[in-house]
Amino acid sequence: MCGIAGWVAFDSDLTRQQSVLDAMTDTMALRGPDDSGTFLRTHAALGHRRLAIIDLPGGAQPMSVSTPAGDVGLVYTGEAYNYRELRDQLRALGHSFRTDSDTEVVLHAYLQWGESVVDHLNGMYAFAIWDQREEKLVMIRDRMGIKPFYYYPTPDGVLFGSEPKAILANPLARKAVDFDGVRELFAMVKAPRSSLWKGMYEVQPGTLIRLDRNGIHERTYWRLETGEHTDSTEKSVERVRDLLTDIVDRQLISDVPRCVLLSGGLDSSAITGLAAASLARQGEQLRTFSVDFLHQEQNFVSDGIRDTPDSPYAREVAALVESAHQDVMLNSADLLDLSVRRAVITARDMPGLGDMDLSLYLLFKAIREQSTVALSGESADEVFGGYPWFHDERAVNAGTFPWMAFTTADDARWDVLSPELRERLDIDSYIADQYAAACAEVEHLPGESEAERRMREVCYLHLTRFVRILLDRKDRVSMAVGLEVRVPFCDHRLIEYVYNTPWPLKTFDGREKSLLRHATKHVLPQSVVDRVKSGYPLTQDPTYATNLQQLSKEILSETNSPLFDLIDRTWMQQLVAQDPMRMDPATRASLDRAIDIYTWLDLYRPELDLA
C-alpha cells in the first residue's frame, strides 16, 4: 500500500519539473512513510511513496523496464493477492524476476498482456503505467474502488494521484469547488467520477483510462452483471464459505505484522474466526483490536441503531479463537483534540463524519504501533443486505436511496444550508437525478417479480454508491497513519456470486445476512450468530455535544466566517441553545459535520465557484 502521483504533458519537457513532481509526491508521505522515488521522462513524471508490505528490500518504486522501443514505468499502490500464481504463469512464459514483490509481477503482466492485465488481477489496486513505446499513460483502478485514484485533465495531458492533495500541489490545478461539489458534500450519493473538486475526477472502479496524443479514452473492464442463480440454499452457503476461506487466506499474505479489526458484530467476527483458523494452521496467533469509549459499556443506552455494546461480544470472540486481543479505549478528550480533527480532514481532503472519523483515526493510530496490515469486516452489509433499511418496507419503496429514506426527515434535512444556497443547490433534484441514473444501470432477469427487481436495485445501489463512500473513508483515514486495511468482503468473486442470489435466499432464515451467518457459524460463538446488527459505535458522553456547542459559539462570534456562505447561521444558533443532554444523535452529527466543514474551509481555503 502506497501513494502515487504523476503528470503527463505532451507539449512540455517534464524533466525540468522535478521540484513540482517532488511536491506532488511529498503530499503522499503519510501513505508511504518507508521510501520515495520518482521517474522522469520528457513527457511523463511519476512519483511514489512506499509503505513496505511485501518484499521489504526489493519492492522500491517507481519500477521500470527498458525495451528497444522505450521504457515502461509503473507506480502502483495496493495488493495483488494472486501475484504468486501470476508470477509462476509469467515465468512459464519466459519472464524473469529480480524481486519477490507483487509490483514487479504487475509490471511484467502488463508487458505480457498489455491493457488486458486487468483481466488477470485479484486484489485492491490503483496504478499508472507510462508506456514510452506508444507514448501513452494507462491508469487502472480495482473493481470495487477500494483504492482511491483521481485525475485532472490539462490542455496537453493529465495530472493524477492517489488523493486530490497530490493533484492540488501542482500549480496547474485549480483549488475550486462548484455547485456539484457542494451538492456532493451534503447529498451522500457518491455520484460517479465526482471528486468534490472542480475539474478533477475519480477513476471509476473497474475502469481503465488511457491517455495518448489523441486524448483521454475510458474503458469499463468490470461491472456488476446479472445472472441466474441456480444453486440450492445448502450449496450457496457452502460456496460462500469456500470463497471466504480462500479470500481470507490470500489476504493474510504479508511480510509485516497483521491483525483483524474486531467489533464483535457478525462481519468482523467472521473474518476473525477464519483468519485465526488460517494462521493456526501455520502455528501463528492472530492479533485483534477493538475500539470502545471510557465507561460506555457500563452506561450504554440503546439508540435504535446500536442495540447493544460491542465489547462483550468482541471479548467472547477473542476468547474463542484465542487471539491476542487489545481494546483501544478512547475518551471525549481524545475526540475533542482539534489536531486530530485537522489530521482527519487533511487525510480525506474534505469534511468527514465527525466523531465517527475521529474515533476511527485514533483506533488506526493505536493499531499502527503494533501492526502494519489489518483485515476489516467492511462492506459485508452491502454485499449480504445487513443494514436495517434493507428490511424496512418504507425505506425500500421510498423511490430514493434507501439509506436516505431511513435516516432523514424530508422536512428538515436541508435546514443546515443557508436559505439562499438551499434554493440554488436544489439538492432534492440532484439526488433524484442521481438515483434515476443509478437504477437505470441495473440489469434484470426476465420474469423477475416486482419485489425481486426492487431488491436487486437496492443491492446494486449499495454496491455501486454507498459502499464507495465507506471504502474511501476507510482508506484515507487508515493510510493517514500508514496502516493498510484490507477488505475481504470486497473480493469481486464473492460479490458477483452473492449479488445474484435472490433476496429470499439472502434472508432464508428470517434474518439479515443469512448466507454469511450460516457460512461462518462454525468459527463463531453462538452469541454472535444470534446478535442483531449494531452500527459503528459512537461516544455517548454528553460532554462531546457540549464541546461541539462551545466550538460553534466561537465560530458564530466570527463576523466573516466563510462557513456561513454554506451553513445557515440561525440553524447553528438554535443548536447551540439546545440542552446537550437531550440532543439526539442525528442532530449532534449534523453539528459535528458543520464543524468539519468549518475546519476544511480553514485548512484548504477553496475557491467556492458558486456564481
Side-chain angles (χ1 to χ4, degrees):
M1 191 90 78
C2 310
I4 64 175
W7 181 8
V8 169
F10 290 111
D11 296 339
S12 302
D13 181 359
L14 295 184
T15 60
R16 302 177 181 179
Q17 300 293 339
Q18 180 74 58
S19 62
V20 176
L21 178 61
D22 288 345
M24 296 173 69
T25 306
D26 288 348
T27 65
M28 298 291 96
L30 295 178
R31 295 186 69 92
D34 297 327
D35 197 8
S36 64
T38 58
F39 170 99
L40 270 175
R41 298 297 184 269
T42 303
H43 299 305
L46 310 180
H48 187 267
R49 292 288 311 209
R50 186 183 185 209
L51 176 64
I53 301 293
I54 293 174
D55 187 10
L56 306 191
Q61 296 188 52
M63 196 172 284
S64 62
V65 171
S66 295
T67 77
D71 293 344
V72 179
L74 166 70
V75 281
Y76 170 87
T77 174
E79 305 292 345
Y81 299 125
N82 63 335
Y83 80 97
R84 291 174 175 172
E85 299 99 304
L86 285 178
R87 184 172 57 202
D88 291 343
Q89 186 177 356
L90 289 163
R91 278 176 173 156
L93 291 169
H95 293 259
S96 59
F97 295 88
R98 297 178 294 104
T99 75
D100 292 324
S101 71
D102 60 334
T103 303
E104 188 178 18
V105 172
V106 172
L107 178 56
H108 279 262
Y110 173 79
L111 293 172
Q112 177 66 38
W113 295 302
E115 294 179 8
S116 295
V117 63
V118 295
D119 301 321
H120 297 266
L121 299 177
N122 174 295
M124 56 177 189
Y125 44 81
F127 59 93
I129 295 173
W130 173 248
D131 191 336
Q132 184 64 41
R133 299 171 302 178
E134 301 180 42
E135 279 202 321
K136 69 176 183 179
L137 177 75
V138 178
M139 297 182 286
I140 295 172
R141 191 177 183 194
D142 66 70
R143 294 170 178 85
M144 289 299 292
I146 304 168
K147 303 311 299 172
F149 203 179
Y150 297 86
Y151 69 102
Y152 188 104
T154 62
D156 69 335
V158 74
L159 311 173
F160 67 85
S162 291
E163 299 177 2
K165 62 175 65 67
I167 293 169
L168 296 174
N170 189 299
L172 292 178
R174 182 182 170 199
K175 195 185 293 185
V177 177
D178 61 11
F179 277 110
D180 279 346
V182 175
R183 290 179 181 114
E184 279 294 308
L185 267 182
F186 293 96
M188 203 168 179
V189 299
K190 196 60 174 174
R193 299 178 182 81
S194 172
S195 75
L196 177 68
W197 302 96
K198 184 177 182 179
M200 188 187 303
Y201 307 95
E202 272 195 326
V203 177
Q204 278 284 86
T207 295
L208 178 151
I209 293 178
R210 181 178 70 255
L211 169 76
D212 55 30
R213 289 186 178 273
N214 294 318
I216 293 176
H217 317 273
E218 181 176 310
R219 174 169 73 87
T220 299
Y221 68 86
W222 183 88
R223 68 182 304 275
L224 274 177
E225 294 183 348
T226 297
E228 186 177 1
H229 186 83
T230 59
D231 290 347
S232 66
T233 299
E234 182 180 359
K235 189 171 182 180
S236 297
V237 169
E238 180 183 357
R239 177 61 175 157
V240 170
R241 182 185 301 120
D242 290 346
L243 280 169
L244 281 172
T245 300
D246 177 69
I247 292 163
V248 171
D249 285 349
R250 289 176 181 273
Q251 297 200 15
L252 285 170
I253 295 173
S254 172
D255 293 334
V256 294
R258 69 277 211 225
C259 66
V260 173
L261 307 175
L262 173 59
S263 71
L266 174 62
D267 314 340
S268 66
S269 299
I271 299 300
T272 297
L274 293 170
S278 179
L279 292 182
R281 292 191 292 270
Q282 305 170 43
E284 295 185 47
Q285 182 186 28
L286 177 66
R287 185 183 295 274
T288 53
F289 292 88
S290 298
V291 66
D292 202 355
F293 302 94
L294 195 64
H295 306 308
Q296 185 145 310
E297 183 179 347
Q298 299 88 335
N299 302 311
F300 182 83
V301 177
S302 173
D303 63 7
I305 298 294
R306 301 158 191 87
D307 288 335
T308 52
D310 286 341
S311 293
Y313 296 93
R315 287 194 296 269
E316 191 171 353
V317 173
L320 177 68
V321 304
E322 299 181 336
S323 67
H325 184 70
Q326 180 178 332
D327 287 315
V328 176
M329 196 65 63
L330 306 177
N331 59 43
S332 289
D334 300 322
L335 298 175
L336 295 171
D337 184 340
L338 292 180
S339 68
V340 173
R341 189 180 293 268
R342 294 172 72 88
V344 169
I345 291 170
T346 300
R348 297 198 63 182
D349 294 310
M350 64 181 294
L353 299 176
D355 65 326
M356 290 181 66
D357 284 0
L358 303 177
S359 62
L360 193 67
Y361 174 85
L362 291 168
L363 169 64
F364 289 158
K365 188 175 182 181
I367 291 172
R368 184 62 175 89
E369 295 175 1
Q370 301 179 58
S371 294
T372 311
V373 170
L375 272 64
S376 166
E378 187 84 84
S379 307
D381 287 310
E382 290 83 359
V383 176
F384 291 96
Y387 290 116
W389 46 84
F390 274 95
H391 311 275
D392 183 290
E393 187 174 353
R394 182 189 64 84
V396 166
N397 296 307
T400 188
F401 296 100
W403 55 89
M404 301 187 70
F406 186 82
T407 58
T408 59
D410 288 342
D411 294 338
R413 60 181 172 179
W414 308 130
D415 286 356
V416 60
L417 295 167
S418 66
E420 179 186 356
L421 184 61
R422 189 184 314 158
E423 182 177 349
R424 296 172 69 195
L425 287 175
D426 191 11
I427 296 183
D428 286 326
S429 294
Y430 179 77
I431 293 172
D433 290 344
Q434 293 299 326
Y435 172 75
C439 288
E441 297 170 4
V442 182
E443 300 172 349
H444 292 284
L445 290 175
E448 276 186 330
S449 68
E450 284 302 314
E452 185 60 34
R453 287 175 62 88
R454 180 55 188 157
M455 291 315 299
R456 184 181 294 281
E457 289 174 348
V458 169
C459 292
Y460 185 91
L461 294 173
H462 282 80
L463 290 168
T464 63
R465 301 304 192 273
F466 194 73
V467 75
R468 294 178 186 175
I469 298 171
L470 300 184
L471 288 174
D472 184 74
R473 166 183 177 251
K474 179 84 75 179
D475 176 272
R476 304 284 281 281
V477 177
S478 64
M479 291 305 295
V481 298
L483 178 70
E484 174 177 292
V485 176
R486 299 175 177 177
V487 278
F489 290 115
C490 279
D491 186 290
H492 71 280
R493 297 169 299 161
L494 179 69
I495 287 172
E496 289 170 347
Y497 185 79
V498 177
Y499 174 66
N500 281 304
T501 57
W503 184 248
L505 181 54
K506 290 185 174 76
T507 56
F508 70 84
D509 63 356
R511 301 276 311 277
E512 78 284 357
K513 294 185 285 194
S514 304
L515 287 170
L516 176 61
R517 180 176 292 102
H518 286 262
T520 59
K521 63 182 181 180
H522 63 295
V523 296
L524 299 173
Q526 191 61 40
S527 62
V528 172
V529 175
D530 295 336
R531 190 184 183 195
V532 175
K533 163 72 182 175
S534 186
Y536 181 83
L538 301 176
T539 179
Q540 296 183 342
D541 184 350
T543 62
Y544 186 77
T546 301
N547 187 269
L548 292 181
Q549 289 178 315
Q550 182 57 43
L551 288 172
S552 299
K553 289 178 183 177
E554 295 172 10
I555 296 170
L556 286 165
S557 70
E558 299 180 16
T559 55
N560 296 309
S561 172
L563 177 66
F564 299 113
D565 292 335
L566 301 175
I567 299 298
D568 182 24
R569 181 183 288 270
T570 301
W571 170 86
M572 181 172 277
Q573 289 170 335
Q574 291 171 346
L575 265 58
V576 164
Q578 281 192 17
D579 180 354
M581 298 291 292
R582 300 172 64 85
M583 187 177 289
D584 64 81
T587 301
R588 193 188 79 174
S590 295
L591 191 58
D592 213 352
R593 183 161 172 78
I595 294 170
D596 266 7
I597 294 171
Y598 171 84
T599 307
W600 170 69
L601 291 168
D602 180 59
L603 286 169
Y604 281 81
R605 305 298 171 100
E607 174 190 348
L608 297 178
D609 189 359
L610 306 178

